[in-house]
């Protein structure tokens, strides 16, 4: 029985070939035909997939560019059919499906809700030069709004007694490209088109200093606790020079010791409280990656941006409050001791 024994093939004078039968057989076919035979016999196709976590700002004209790029890249082939489908999922759990780019542009923004996920699917039938039948290539581009996902999680954990670092969700893949194919050469060419298109989509980012501070945010409660405790101990030492003088009675010494312990305890508790608030606020600052198709998306992004600004202000106020309390205690102790 004769069968394809090595689908990977080998190079011969620049052309990839596959041996049919045993190794001594002289019958050779191109790798393109071998892949076509495999698909025709088994009905199976291969899949090529790429993931990306870069923060992006997707707009409607980017989808138009993707459509034009795919049309141009497939002009070299004999195209039997080119069918497209666009699926838009919204934050209110509703969705819409459009059969063409024109319909997508026509109904864009009619829903009145922000977009949570966008999926573009292209089914292309291609007849390659060395084959006599059309091969199906299914291209899927899936883009998720990181802002929509994170804000949804923020609402879910709002009533919970614990916090989740929202910025860690930035590592999740927001873009996925997949191609179900028969011929790997065509698939790789199409994937390069998708990747080059995604590189042209506007990217978003936050400053490197904010990223560094976020990574160290779990040290903030310890920093504020021990910093405030150190300043309190310094204040107590300065006050001891005033109240713990020679011939001081036992009552004054006892009261001073008790108040010193109380101040040290309060400084620890306030330092931990302020540091925890600053940590939570820093963890809520994230890179915005979103889909902007309509005014509803604009409003949703503005709301998210205001929450991020509020987190920055809370972090600054928490850290600033700790500094003010610590320095104020030190100045007060120096004033009493002067």
């Amino acid at each position: 029985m004769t069968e394809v024994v090595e689908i990977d093939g080998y190079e011969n004078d620049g052309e990839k070939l596959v041996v049919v039968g045993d190794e001594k057989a002289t019958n050779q076919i191109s790798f393109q035909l071998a892949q076509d035979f495999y698909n025709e016999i088994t009905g199976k196709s291969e899949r090529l997939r790429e993931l990306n976590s870069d923060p992006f700002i997707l707009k409607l004209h980017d989808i138009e560019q993707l459509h034009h790029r795919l049309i141009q890249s497939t002009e070299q082939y004999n195209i039997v059919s080119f069918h497209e489908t666009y699926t838009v999922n919204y934050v209110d759990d509703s969705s819409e499906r459009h059969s063409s780019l024109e319909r997508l542009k026509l109904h864009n923004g009619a829903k009145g809700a922000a977009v949570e996920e966008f999926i573009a699917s292209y089914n292309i039938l291609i007849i390659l030069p060395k084959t006599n039948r059309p091969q199906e290539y299914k291209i899927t581009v899936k883009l998720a709004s990181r802002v929509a996902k994170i804000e949804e999680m923020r609402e879910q954990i709002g009533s919970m007694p614990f916090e989740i670092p929202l910025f860690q969700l930035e590592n999740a893949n927001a873009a996925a490209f997949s191609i179900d194919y028969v011929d790997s050469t065509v698939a790789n060419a199409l994937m390069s088109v998708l990747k080059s298109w995604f590189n042209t989509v506007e990217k978003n980012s936050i400053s490197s200093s904010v990223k560094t501070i976020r990574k160290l945010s779990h040290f903030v409660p310890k920093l504020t606790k021990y910093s405030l405790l150190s300043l309190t101990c310094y204040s107590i030492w300065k006050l001891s020079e005033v109240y713990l003088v020679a011939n001081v009675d036992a009552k004054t010494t006892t009261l001073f010791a008790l108040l010193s312990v109380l101040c040290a305890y309060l400084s620890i508790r306030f330092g931990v409280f302020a540091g925890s608030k600053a940590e939570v606020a820093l963890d809520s600052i994230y890179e915005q990656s979103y889909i902007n198709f309509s005014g509803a998306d604009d409003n949703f992004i503005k709301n998210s941006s205001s929450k991020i600004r509020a987190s920055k202000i809370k972090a600054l106020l928490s850290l600033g409050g700790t500094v003010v309390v610590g320095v104020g205690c030190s100045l007060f102790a120096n004033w009493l001791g002067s």
Side-chain angles (χ1 to χ4, degrees), residues 101-224:
L101 183 60
E102 288 71 22
R103 283 182 169 272
L104 174 65
K105 294 165 61 178
L106 179 63
H107 296 281
N108 174 50
K111 191 66 179 179
V115 178
E116 181 176 0
E117 187 178 58
F118 175 79
I119 304 173
S121 300
Y122 302 90
N123 287 76
I124 310 174
L125 288 179
I126 303 176
I127 299 179
L128 297 180
K130 295 183 179 181
T131 62
N132 295 320
R133 69 184 188 93
Q135 300 173 350
E136 182 181 18
Y137 293 81
K138 183 178 181 181
I139 303 172
T140 303
V141 177
K142 182 182 293 186
L143 301 165
S145 171
R146 185 176 292 159
V147 171
K149 300 289 186 182
I150 292 179
E151 293 303 326
E152 180 182 5
M153 179 168 289
R154 192 201 293 267
E155 292 183 2
Q156 292 176 352
I157 66 177
S159 59
M160 296 182 181
F162 58 88
E163 298 288 341
I164 297 178
L166 297 179
F167 77 92
Q168 293 186 358
L169 298 177
E170 292 176 358
N171 299 324
N173 295 309
F177 312 105
S178 66
I179 301 177
D180 294 341
Y181 66 92
V182 177
D183 189 279
S184 59
T185 303
V186 177
N188 288 324
L190 293 174
M191 182 59 73
S192 66
V193 172
L194 298 181
K195 292 165 66 175
S196 64
W197 164 80
F198 187 69
N199 290 334
T200 64
V201 176
E202 183 180 354
K203 300 300 187 295
N204 194 19
S205 63
I206 58 177
S207 64
S208 57
S209 58
V210 174
K211 291 183 178 181
T212 302
I213 295 174
R214 289 185 319 181
K215 291 180 181 179
L216 302 175
S217 63
H218 57 284
F219 291 115
V220 172
K222 294 181 180 179
L223 176 64
T224 54

Side-chain angles (χ1 to χ4, degrees), residues 276-297:
S276 299
K277 291 294 183 180
E279 179 186 10
V280 172
L282 290 172
D283 289 344
S284 299
I285 302 173
Y286 62 90
E287 283 182 331
Q288 291 179 301
S289 178
Y290 56 90
I291 301 170
N292 190 354
F293 284 174
S294 65
D297 296 305

